[in-house]
Every structure is written in C-alpha cells, then in structure tokens.
Amino acid sequence: MLLDFFPSRQLTFYIGKMFAVRIIAVLAMLVLVLMMLDLLSRTGDILAYAGNGEAELLQYASLRMPQLVKRFLPYSVLLATIITLATLNQNSEVTAMKAAGLSAHQILAPLLLVAVVVAGASFTFNERVVTRATATLKAWERVDYGTIPTDPDLRTNVYFNDGNDVLMARELSGQGAGTVLTGVTFYERDDAGMIARQITGSRATWANPGWLLEDAEIFSVATTQTEKAEAPLLVAPGTTLDQVALRRVDADAETLAQLAASIAAMKAAGRRTAELEGRWWAKISGPMSAILMPLLGAVAGFGLARSGNLFIRAVIGMALGFAYFVVENAALAMGSFGGYPPLLAAWSPFVLFLLVGETVLIRTEE
C-alpha cells in the first residue's frame, strides 16, 4: 500500500533525478556566490596577520563552506522545488500525469523521497563536518587568523564571578588543580557594584581556595595610585573548580551528544539552559525542514500554466518557504528568552507550515 503513494518506477526516477540535480545546482550557485562575497569582506583580516597568504585564504574557504552549505541547503531545496515543478507545469507534464490518474500528492512523492534523503544527509553532514569546521574556524578567529593553539584545554577570554567581584583572564589552560590563568585582571567591587580596586598579573595558579596571582599590580580607584605586590597575591577566594570546568557552550560547534552533555553539566550547576535546549532540538528540526520545502513550493506546479498565473504561483511558493524560515528563527528567539518551551520553539513552525502546506495544496488542486 505504501508503494501506491508513488507513481511508476520510471516516473519516480525521472522526477527524483530532475529534482536532485536542481538541488545540487542551486546549492552550488548559492554557496559559490556567497563564498566570494564572504572572502571579499574577510581577506583583509586574514592577510593582516604576518605570514598569511593564499593557503590561508583557501583554508578559510574550506572551513566556511560547510557553514554556508548547512544554512542554505533548505533554501536550495525550496528553489529547486519551484524550478522543477514550474518546468513540469510549463511543459504540460503535470497535466499529462494528472490525466493519467495521478493525484497531486503522488506527483510530489518523488520530491518528498529525495527531500527525506537530503534531510538525512544534511543531519549527518552537520554532525560530522559542520561542527568540527565551526569549532576550528572560531578558534582561528579568536587568534586573529594566526596560529591555532594545539592545547585542547586552552580557552580564551574567560571570566568568573566571586560575589560582586570579577576575575578575568586572557587565556586558561590545563585542567583541575593544574589550571593556569594568563593575563589576569581581578576587579574588586563595592556593594553598589562600583570598582574599588583593579589587580592585574601575568599568571595565576589554583590555590584552593582562590587563585595565587604572580607579578600583581594593584590600582586603587580611591587614591588613583598603583603599587606592586612584593609576593604572590591571593584573589577570588570564593571561586571554585566547578566554575572553571564550566565554559561558554557554543551549540554550533558541538554535536548532538556533546551538546546534551553540556546542557546536563550546566543544569547541574544551576545555569539557565533554555536557549541551548532549543538549539539542541533545532539540530534535528533544522535538517527536517528540507522535507517541508516540496510541500510549500508545490503551489508552483499546479494550475494551468497558460493562465498566466505560473509566475504568481512561484512567488507564492517562495513566500511560503521564506515565511517558514522567518517564523522558525522568531520561535527559536522566543524560546531563548523563555517565551516558549524549547521543544515547542523548535517544532511548532514545522508542524504549523506542514498544515499550511497541506491546506494550500488541497485547496488549490484537490
């Protein structure tokens, strides 16, 4: 009974192949154009670092392209849907298929099959390639396109709260009791949140509790005087190693399993995780959006091409597809602020536009 949903094997292969070729062509066009524009804006920054040249530009392109593919693959599926169905309609092939007894859903079935394959490939690509490329690119950007640190535990621009006081460091390396901070600044603040003293130092090590700051210089706001400490100075005694273990989570640079572990760790520490949970669900719903695109763009394929409404139908199909992405981003933003539960924020646009697409298809054709 499931096979009755598809047209004949030959017709399924014909439409599916046509659709797949157009997805690849549209995606290649979008990625190449956007990659060139991105390189125009980034080339100056990359070449500003001494020793960088053509090889570094190619490296940047290789790291940036997976991000562009991830972002614009659903758009490519939408545009390929409209181009494929408009071509079939213009050539009266849709009319011939309907005259043979095929319904609109049967005509769309090969497109939906290809879209399911694209969604699965997109999810795998995002997990295996995009996350690694994103992590490497962001690490490279943090050092201004210089030499990427080889220490996997190295983190840059970290800060910790100690009551009203704030401890900041340019770099953090090591783990546990062997953690070392470099380029340290400690701000002592009063009850009103105003800075009373600023203490800077070249290096700090874990002292259990607090951090032992070397080469400390103390600047007093009240006296505007700076004095140098004669011995290592203990700062931030209220901080713990649990705070050090927690880091700022970059959802784009972590796989589904890694992000789930990060969310669990932040929950255990009492941190707010609504935004990350929404991004976790979006890692699944994002690739699934490719399955929606044939349904939303289907309006371009039905109706008489000679009636002069083919262009209008194509515009309606594009409008429905782009409206989905707008609503999806808005829902994720609302979920980040706590307006929606993360699950609802990630999946409600998908369900809503699934119903909208079915309604438009049925009302216009069946």
Side-chain angles (χ1 to χ4, degrees):
M1 295 298 294
L2 180 61
L3 295 178
D4 292 340
F5 182 68
F6 292 91
S8 67
R9 178 180 299 178
Q10 292 80 2
L11 192 55
T12 298
F13 180 78
Y14 170 71
I15 298 175
K17 179 182 177 182
M18 180 186 298
F19 183 46
V21 169
R22 281 158 176 75
I23 290 175
I24 296 172
V26 172
L27 180 61
M29 178 191 67
L30 289 175
V31 170
L32 287 176
V33 171
L34 293 169
M35 188 68 251
M36 287 189 293
L37 294 175
D38 192 58
L39 274 175
L40 285 175
S41 64
R42 295 288 183 178
T43 297
D45 296 332
I46 297 172
L47 297 181
Y49 189 88
N52 283 356
E54 183 179 346
E56 283 69 28
L57 293 177
L58 293 175
Q59 180 183 2
Y60 176 82
S62 68
L63 295 174
R64 185 74 174 111
M65 275 189 178
Q67 296 180 339
L68 295 176
V69 171
K70 173 190 175 182
R71 178 173 299 179
F72 291 99
L73 182 57
Y75 294 95
S76 302
V77 177
L78 172 65
L79 295 176
T81 298
I82 295 172
I83 293 170
T84 300
L85 292 178
T87 302
L88 292 174
N89 195 2
Q90 187 70 36
N91 295 334
S92 299
E93 291 174 275
V94 171
T95 302
M97 286 185 279
K98 290 186 67 63
L102 297 180
S103 68
H105 286 89
Q106 286 178 304
I107 296 172
L108 286 180
L111 278 70
L112 292 171
L113 179 62
V114 173
V116 169
V117 175
V118 169
S122 175
F123 177 80
T124 304
F125 180 76
N126 294 346
E127 290 290 288
R128 301 291 297 174
V129 179
V130 177
T131 52
R132 298 176 182 179
T134 300
T136 303
L137 180 58
K138 290 189 175 181
W140 196 25
E141 289 174 342
R142 283 195 292 268
V143 294
D144 296 325
Y145 304 103
T147 303
I148 301 176
T150 56
D151 183 359
D153 299 320
L154 183 67
R155 289 150 55 187
T156 58
N157 300 323
V158 296
Y159 73 93
F160 312 104
N161 292 322
D162 180 15
N164 283 338
D165 303 334
V166 178
L167 177 67
M168 303 180 65
R170 186 177 65 251
E171 291 181 355
L172 180 152
S173 59
Q175 291 182 341
T179 302
V180 176
L181 303 179
T182 307
V184 183
T185 303
F186 180 65
Y187 296 100
E188 286 186 359
R189 301 193 296 183
D190 57 25
D191 293 337
M194 303 298 292
I195 296 176
R197 292 199 307 170
Q198 174 184 296
I199 306 174
T200 59
S202 60
R203 185 174 181 271
T205 54
W206 177 244
N208 192 27
W211 298 86
L212 206 58
L213 185 60
E214 302 173 3
D215 303 322
E217 292 186 354
I218 306 169
F219 172 76
S220 174
V221 175
T223 63
T224 68
Q225 297 294 320
T226 301
E227 60 177 316
K228 189 174 182 63
E230 296 181 358
L233 189 66
L234 184 68
V235 297
T239 55
T240 65
L241 284 178
D242 290 338
Q243 288 177 276
V244 177
L246 286 176
R247 68 196 192 286
R248 186 178 183 276
V249 178
D250 185 357
D252 294 330
E254 296 194 358
T255 64
L256 207 63
Q258 290 171 340
L259 185 56
S262 298
I263 291 172
M266 295 191 72
K267 277 186 175 180
R271 300 286 187 89
R272 184 175 176 273
T273 60
E275 179 181 2
L276 292 177
E277 289 180 52
R279 299 291 294 276
W280 190 90
W281 284 111
K283 283 181 175 287
I284 303 174
S285 64
M288 290 284 287
S289 64
I291 302 175
L292 268 184
M293 296 303 108
L295 192 60
L296 298 178
V299 66
F302 302 101
L304 295 176
R306 289 174 293 178
S307 66
N309 292 329
L310 181 59
F311 177 74
I312 296 176
R313 287 173 174 271
V315 171
I316 292 173
M318 284 190 289
L320 285 173
F322 286 112
Y324 167 77
F325 296 113
V326 172
V327 172
E328 180 189 39
N329 290 330
L332 289 174
M334 290 292 292
S336 299
F337 291 118
Y340 294 152
L343 178 62
L344 184 63
W347 286 103
S348 58
F350 183 90
V351 176
L352 172 63
F353 277 84
L354 177 64
L355 298 176
V356 168
E358 276 291 338
T359 301
V360 171
L361 181 62
I362 293 172
R363 291 294 298 272
T364 57
E365 178 57 23
E366 296 190 352

